[in-house]
Amino acid sequence: MIRLVLVAVAMLVVACDATAAAKLDAAAVNNAQFDGSEAKGVSATVLKAQILLDRARFSPGLIDGRQAENFTRAVSAFQAANGLPADGKLTRETWDKLVATSSRPAIETYDLTRKDVHGPFTRRIPARMERMARLPRLAYHNALEKMAERFHISEQLLERLNPGIGFRKAGQKLLVPAVTRGDPPQDIASVEVDKSARQVRVLDPSGKVLATYPASIGSQEKPAPSGQAEVKRVVHHPTYHYDPEFAFKGVRSKRPFTIAAGPNNPVGSVWIDLSIDSYGIHGTPDPGKIGKTFSHGCIRLTNWDAEDLASEVQKGTKVVFKDEAAGSVEQGSQ
């Protein structure tokens, strides 16, 4: 009897999981409502909130439908910008403000093109930088990775939204997050790099936050700079030049080398060069690690957030580093 009960319970759990998975479609996400519950696992409500935050430039980083640290930071930033208690919790009032930002559906349909599925791709990318330097390009591994990055979503969740799609044939219809952002905000005064919050903020002259992005910022071995800098230039599709003086852990080469351009290049798809020598704000080949790991001293964003920031800054834009320990800006040398 006990065995039969356990089997029945197990079958019920599997059935519930299957039902939950089946409900994660366009209708479930677009019609999702706030219910006040703490979601465990992937939630249609959290997924919709992440898409709306991303669209409003309060970026949650990689969209995965889960309540995690980057999502909490994005919610908190949105709340602060809208005069709400900035506790990072998705409250009814926060939800209503967020839903009011846009009337567009959160999930839309996208048709795969020949260019999407034919690449060129770089199927295998070695982990060691010295070996990366032998490749002619650091392109996406495949169409799945390319589509996931285009729509700011984890590969696992994109596959879940599109069961049975192999991402290999032009003309296939995909369900994707509608993350197209509006025109870049005008009248940008500065960019603030908050080390303790692991966040980059775009500010207007009054200090109002126009956009926020989760970031990986320095480490104990290779800390991010302090004080103030300015943007020198923006480089799209950058190559990566390694100098042995960097002495990165795991790099054995005693000679400089160059890694070809591409979204899986160590600095991703864009480099925002700063007036502090060898430091910049840049993209990454690993969007899922942003805000969770440390960098080699620079400021690392997802490729899409780095590209968005690059569209907002210009030569001379001020970049202020908010000190991690004191929570204030150090006025150091540039």
Side-chain angles (χ1 to χ4, degrees):
M1 177 63 74
I2 293 176
R3 183 177 298 174
L4 289 173
V5 171
L6 290 175
V7 170
V9 170
M11 291 177 66
L12 180 61
V13 170
V14 171
C16 289
D17 287 346
T19 301
K23 286 184 177 179
L24 195 66
D25 56 17
V29 179
N30 290 335
N31 298 327
Q33 299 296 323
F34 177 78
D35 60 11
S37 63
E38 288 287 334
K40 293 183 179 180
V42 176
S43 159
T45 298
V46 172
L47 175 53
K48 182 175 180 177
Q50 286 179 325
I51 295 168
L52 292 172
L53 286 164
D54 184 290
R55 198 186 291 170
R57 286 192 166 88
F58 291 89
S59 173
L62 188 67
I63 293 172
D64 59 6
R66 298 176 183 272
Q67 290 194 36
E69 202 167 359
N70 283 342
F71 175 66
T72 299
R73 292 187 188 118
V75 170
S76 178
F78 178 81
Q79 289 169 327
N82 284 274
L84 302 173
D87 58 7
K89 296 179 181 179
L90 190 59
T91 61
R92 165 64 67 182
E93 193 174 10
T94 303
W95 174 264
D96 290 344
K97 284 268 189 183
L98 193 53
V99 170
T101 60
S102 176
S103 60
R104 288 172 51 209
I107 296 291
E108 61 186 6
T109 302
Y110 174 80
D111 294 339
L112 277 174
T113 67
R114 289 179 58 85
K115 186 176 181 180
D116 292 334
V117 298
H118 289 156
F121 299 119
T122 304
R123 303 288 179 183
R124 296 176 182 172
I125 298 176
R128 290 184 56 186
M129 285 187 174
E130 298 97 321
R131 293 179 180 175
M132 287 183 194
R134 302 173 188 173
L135 299 177
R137 68 177 66 89
L138 275 292
Y140 294 111
H141 291 92
N142 49 44
L144 171 60
E145 183 186 30
K146 184 176 183 179
M147 292 299 99
E149 182 145 310
R150 177 180 296 181
F151 297 105
H152 311 176
I153 187 173
S154 74
E155 293 179 36
Q156 294 78 11
L157 187 52
L158 184 58
E159 286 185 303
R160 183 170 168 182
L161 283 168
N162 298 279
I165 298 293
F167 297 87
R168 293 187 180 92
K169 296 180 181 179
Q172 288 180 312
K173 292 187 179 297
L174 303 182
L175 293 180
V176 298
V179 290
T180 302
R181 294 164 175 169
D183 293 336
Q186 301 297 310
D187 201 21
I188 292 170
S190 65
V191 173
E192 181 179 79
V193 179
D194 190 330
K195 299 178 189 178
S196 60
R198 296 191 188 185
Q199 195 171 65
V200 170
R201 306 183 186 102
V202 177
L203 309 177
D204 75 1
S206 70
K208 178 184 176 181
V209 175
L210 303 174
T212 65
Y213 310 103
S216 292
I217 305 171
S219 65
Q220 286 189 334
E221 289 183 345
K222 302 287 183 179
S226 293
Q228 185 173 303
E230 62 181 36
V231 173
K232 287 176 61 179
R233 59 176 179 155
V234 172
V235 181
H236 294 277
H237 311 294
T239 54
Y240 177 78
H241 305 284
Y242 180 78
D243 187 329
E245 291 186 5
F246 296 163
F248 289 168
K249 186 177 180 180
V251 180
R252 301 172 186 172
S253 177
K254 302 300 181 183
R255 297 181 179 179
F257 57 82
T258 298
I259 297 176
N264 277 313
N265 175 292
V267 292
S269 60
V270 66
W271 169 267
I272 301 172
D273 198 25
L274 300 182
S275 57
I276 302 174
D277 188 38
S278 77
Y279 283 95
I281 305 173
H282 63 83
T284 180
D286 298 305
K289 294 182 179 179
I290 293 300
K292 305 171 185 177
T293 59
F294 296 97
S295 72
H296 287 126
C298 289
I299 301 88
R300 190 182 300 162
L301 311 178
T302 65
N303 277 337
W304 56 87
D305 285 341
E307 289 165 5
D308 197 48
L309 180 63
S311 73
E312 297 165 339
V313 300
Q314 58 186 341
K315 183 177 180 180
T317 298
K318 183 170 64 173
V319 179
V320 179
F321 290 87
K322 194 171 181 180
D323 183 59
E324 188 168 11
S328 59
V329 176
E330 284 188 11
Q331 297 301 323
S333 59
Q334 293 190 23

